[in-house]
Each structure stands twice: as C-alpha cells, then as structure tokens.
C-alpha cells in the first residue's frame, strides 16, 4: 500500500488514497501505522473516500485506533494531499467529516498548495453537546478539583470536544500529567482534548495540547481554534490571533456568531510503501 506522511504545525499523519485501497479494519491499520516503534509513526491516519453530501469525505483515526470526528491540522494535510495528487483538483471544495462539512480554500502556485484556509464552522457552547457534565448550561471558567488543587476550565465543541485552561507560565505547566488526567475525568463522557494557553497579547498566544486518543501533540488545529474562541469570549483576545503551537504557527479568525476560520500550511514529509 502506498502512503504519504505529512505534518502541519508538528501534528503528523499518514494519508492513504481510499479510492485505490479498501481496508476492512481501518481502526487496526491506524494503530499499526501510527506506532512510532513498530510502524511508520504518526498522530493519526486519514483516508479519502466518496461523499454523498460534499466533494469528498475525510475519515480520521487517532493513533490508538479510535475514530475521530475531525482534526484541524489533519484537514489541512488532507486538503493538500488530495489537491497536490490530483484526487480533487479544486481551489474551493467541501469535505465531509464526522464533525460536520468543512469548506476549504486552497492558495496555490503552479498546482502546488501553499496555504489552506478552513471554515471550521461555529463553536458550540452548550455543555450537553460538547459533552461535559457539570450541571451547568455552559462550562466557561468553571472550577474543578484535581489532586487537591483547583483549576479553572472552559469546554466547548469545535468539531471535537476541547477544554481550555489559561496559564501564566506555559513552560512550567505539567501539560502531560494534567492533560492525561483531565482527558479521562468522569465529567467528559466522550473524553476531551486539553489545551493550555499562555496569552502574550491580544493577538498572540502560545499553546500546548494534550490530544484525546493521541497524547501530547506538537500542534492541534481544532485546539487552537477552541483556545482563540475562549480567549475572545472572555475579552482577552481580538478577532484575529496568531497561534504559536509547539510545532509551528497558524492564524485563527473569529467571525460573526463565533464562525471560525483557520489558515496555515501543511508539508509532505515522505512517500513510501507499507506492507500490510
């Protein structure tokens, strides 16, 4: 099987042309190829398929084999993959995901993608839809107790559930330890992604993300979007924000009624063949 490995903001993925290959167990394949010791190594697997409701479907699987609704950095890699490989040669198209239909704009030069802009749709604040169970309609700056210490969290849905925590000093935050524990709290029936953000000014943040089903990742597009939404809602950020992830930079813009637009690049690491 031919594969392409790509990365966006340090978030890496294996991409497969689902029009050429049909696999019975994509969950098992994801676990195999994403393993960094016995496979290729990646944060997730993506497969392109036909869609009845959009131009193309993106199927996304986390590194633990679970099916993911959506991935912000992943959909930029996916869009570059299908455009550069002539699977879908449009500069404007729609992608079906479990997290909704996403609109894509390709900025290209000589048929090769430069940057990808994604309409991430509107953030959803209702706790029941995130989902998060704290007995409130919305979970915005709510306190939780973790290992005897109080923390302030905000949880929203941006294709996938995200929890955002604003910190003073990101370098001295125990991202892995706290992220792992928060992901699996009982208040999150479908678990949650966890984002720790440090606000530098009204247009710039640093972010570190613990991704549900994958662990610590160098970048997370949906997490970046969720973080900017929360910062804007709390009056700490403007409508357009540069997000410094641990693996790269991307720009998030907030439109009317919290419509979210994410812009960034994606890069091919290698192309190869996998024995399955």
């Amino acid at each position: 099987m031919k594969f392409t490995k790509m990365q966006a903001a340090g978030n890496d993925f294996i991409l497969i042309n689902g029009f050429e290959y049909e696999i019975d167990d994509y969950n098992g394949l994801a676990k195999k190829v994403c393993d960094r010791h016995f496979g290729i190594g990646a944060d997730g697997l993506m497969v392109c398929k036909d869609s009845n409701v959009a131009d193309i479907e993106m199927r996304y699987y986390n590194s633990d084999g679970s099916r993911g609704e959506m991935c912000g950095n992943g959909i930029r890699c996916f869009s570059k993959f299908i455009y550069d490989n002539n699977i879908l040669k449009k500069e404007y198209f729609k992608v079906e995901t479990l997290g909704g239909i996403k609109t894509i704009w390709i900025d290209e030069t000589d048929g090769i993608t430069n940057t990808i802009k994604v309409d991430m749709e509107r953030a959803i604040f209702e706790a029941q839809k995130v989902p998060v169970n704290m007995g409130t309609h919305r979970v915005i700056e709510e306190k939780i107790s973790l290992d005897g210490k109080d923390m302030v969290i905000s949880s929203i849905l941006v294709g996938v559930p995200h929890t955002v925590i604003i910190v003073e000093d990101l370098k001295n935050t125990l991202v892995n330890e706290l992220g792992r524990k928060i992901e699996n709290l009982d208040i999150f029936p479908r678990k949650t992604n966890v984002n720790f953000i440090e606000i530098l000014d009204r247009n710039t943040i640093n972010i570190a993300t613990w991704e549900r089903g994958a662990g610590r990742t160098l970048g997370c597009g949906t997490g970046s979007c969720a973080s900017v939404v929360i910062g804007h809602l709390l009056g700490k950020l403007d409508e357009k924000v540069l997000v410094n992830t641990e693996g790269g930079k991307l720009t998030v813009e907030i439109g009317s009624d919290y419509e979210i637009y994410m812009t960034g690049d994606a890069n091919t690491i290698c192309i190869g063949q996998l024995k399955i």
Side-chain angles (χ1 to χ4, degrees), residues 156 158 162-164 195 221-231 252 260:
I156 61 174
V158 183
H162 275 282
T163 295
V164 177
N195 307 276
T222 52
S224 297
C225 292
S227 298
V228 173
V229 167
I230 293 299
V252 175
I260 309 168

Side-chain angles (χ1 to χ4, degrees), residues 8-13 34 36 42-46 58 60-76 120 158-163 174-184 190-196 207-224 245-247 250:
N11 214 182
D12 58 345
F13 310 94
C34 291
R36 297 191 184 275
D43 294 320
L45 168 72
M46 284 179 287
M58 180 185 88
Y60 176 69
Y61 300 86
N62 295 305
S63 59
D64 65 355
S66 62
R67 182 79 182 268
E69 295 95 332
M70 228 290 288
C71 178
N73 286 334
I75 200 170
R76 297 205 313 279
M120 301 291 286
V158 183
V160 291
H162 275 282
T163 295
L174 301 175
V175 174
N176 292 359
E177 179 181 335
L178 295 172
R180 183 183 295 109
K181 292 178 180 179
I182 295 170
E183 174 195 2
N184 294 288
R190 286 166 50 202
K191 300 188 177 183
T192 185
N193 300 279
V194 188
N195 307 276
F196 300 88
I207 183 172
T209 299
W210 177 269
E211 192 168 337
R212 178 188 63 168
R216 179 76 168 270
T217 53
L218 295 178
C220 179
T222 52
S224 297
T245 76
E246 293 182 286
L250 55 87

Side-chain angles (χ1 to χ4, degrees), residues 23-36:
I23 303 298
D24 293 331
D25 182 17
Y26 281 115
N27 306 87
L29 180 64
K31 291 178 70 175
K32 178 179 178 179
V33 301
C34 291
D35 190 290
R36 297 191 184 275

Side-chain angles (χ1 to χ4, degrees), residues 35-241:
D35 190 290
R36 297 191 184 275
H37 299 287
F38 298 101
I40 302 165
D43 294 320
L45 168 72
M46 284 179 287
V47 184
C48 55
K49 290 288 185 180
D50 273 323
S51 172
N52 294 322
V53 295
D55 293 295
I56 198 165
E57 179 189 2
M58 180 185 88
R59 296 187 186 177
Y60 176 69
Y61 300 86
N62 295 305
S63 59
D64 65 355
S66 62
R67 182 79 182 268
E69 295 95 332
M70 228 290 288
C71 178
N73 286 334
I75 200 170
R76 297 205 313 279
C77 289
F78 179 86
S79 299
K80 179 178 174 65
F81 174 74
I82 62 174
Y83 185 86
D84 289 0
N85 288 285
N86 298 309
I87 298 170
L88 182 65
K89 204 67 173 181
K90 295 182 177 181
E91 294 176 26
Y92 168 84
F93 54 88
K94 293 182 181 294
V95 179
E96 177 189 357
T97 76
L98 287 182
I101 296 175
K102 308 302 179 186
T103 302
I104 307 295
W105 293 267
I106 299 288
D107 176 63
E108 58 85 32
T109 302
D110 297 328
I112 302 298
T113 305
N114 295 319
T115 59
I116 305 99
K117 182 177 180 178
V118 185
D119 181 351
M120 301 291 286
E121 301 183 302
R122 289 179 176 84
I124 295 175
F125 297 93
E126 292 89 341
Q128 186 178 2
K129 295 180 180 179
V130 175
V132 51
N133 301 323
M134 293 190 70
T136 58
H137 177 61
R138 301 197 309 179
V139 175
I140 303 297
E141 289 203 308
E142 295 288 341
K143 285 186 179 181
I144 64 169
S145 181
L146 192 65
D147 297 334
K149 296 182 180 179
D150 288 338
M151 300 187 68
V152 177
I153 68 169
S154 299
S155 296
I156 61 174
L157 185 70
V158 183
V160 291
H162 275 282
T163 295
V164 177
I165 300 168
I166 300 174
V167 299
E168 293 294 329
D169 184 2
L170 190 57
K171 290 183 178 179
N172 290 314
T173 299
L174 301 175
V175 174
N176 292 359
E177 179 181 335
L178 295 172
R180 183 183 295 109
K181 292 178 180 179
I182 295 170
E183 174 195 2
N184 294 288
L185 288 176
D186 291 340
I187 61 174
F188 300 109
R190 286 166 50 202
K191 300 188 177 183
T192 185
N193 300 279
V194 188
N195 307 276
F196 300 88
I197 68 168
E198 179 183 30
I199 298 176
L200 303 182
D201 56 50
R202 295 193 61 85
N203 301 103
T204 316
I205 65 170
N206 294 334
I207 183 172
T209 299
W210 177 269
E211 192 168 337
R212 178 188 63 168
R216 179 76 168 270
T217 53
L218 295 178
C220 179
T222 52
S224 297
C225 292
S227 298
V228 173
V229 167
I230 293 299
H232 183 67
L233 179 69
L234 297 176
K236 299 177 184 294
L237 295 173
D238 290 338
E239 291 82 6
K240 186 174 182 179
V241 176

